[in-house]
């Protein structure tokens, strides 16, 4: 959303989601029953701010720890 022009969001990195999903698939391929593979959630979230949009609406973009996109 932010890459398409939205101002900001807090969310996950899809690379982290892919790694977590791959780990679960490995368990299944090694013979674990689906019912034995626990539901997983991600606990690392990231702030992402679109600098171009922030500048256009006179909003801050220099937020500590934020990933800046243009």
């Amino acid at each position: 959303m932010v890459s398409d022009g939205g101002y900001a969001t807090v969310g996950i990195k899809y690379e982290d989601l892919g790694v977590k999903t791959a780990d679960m698939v490995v368990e299944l391929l090694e013979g674990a029953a689906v019912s034995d593979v626990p539901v997983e959630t991600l606990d690392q979230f990231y702030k992402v701010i679109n600098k171009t949009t922030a500048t256009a609406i006179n909003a801050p973009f220099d937020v500590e720890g934020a990933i800046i996109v243009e």
Side-chain angles (χ1 to χ4, degrees):
M1 177 188 86
V2 175
S3 295
D4 290 333
Y7 168 54
T9 193
V10 174
I12 64 170
K13 285 186 180 175
Y14 285 98
E15 293 87 355
D16 295 346
L17 179 60
V19 169
K20 180 83 67 176
T21 302
D23 291 342
M24 294 170 76
V25 169
V26 167
E27 288 185 58
L28 295 170
L29 291 174
E30 290 177 344
V34 172
S35 60
D36 292 335
V37 178
V39 172
E40 300 276 352
T41 60
L42 297 175
D43 56 6
Q44 183 72 39
F45 299 94
Y46 302 88
K47 296 175 260 184
V48 183
I49 300 175
N50 185 312
K51 182 178 178 181
T52 303
T53 302
T55 301
I57 64 173
N58 198 29
F61 62 85
D62 57 345
V63 175
E64 182 178 341
I67 299 167
I68 306 299
V69 298
E70 294 191 47

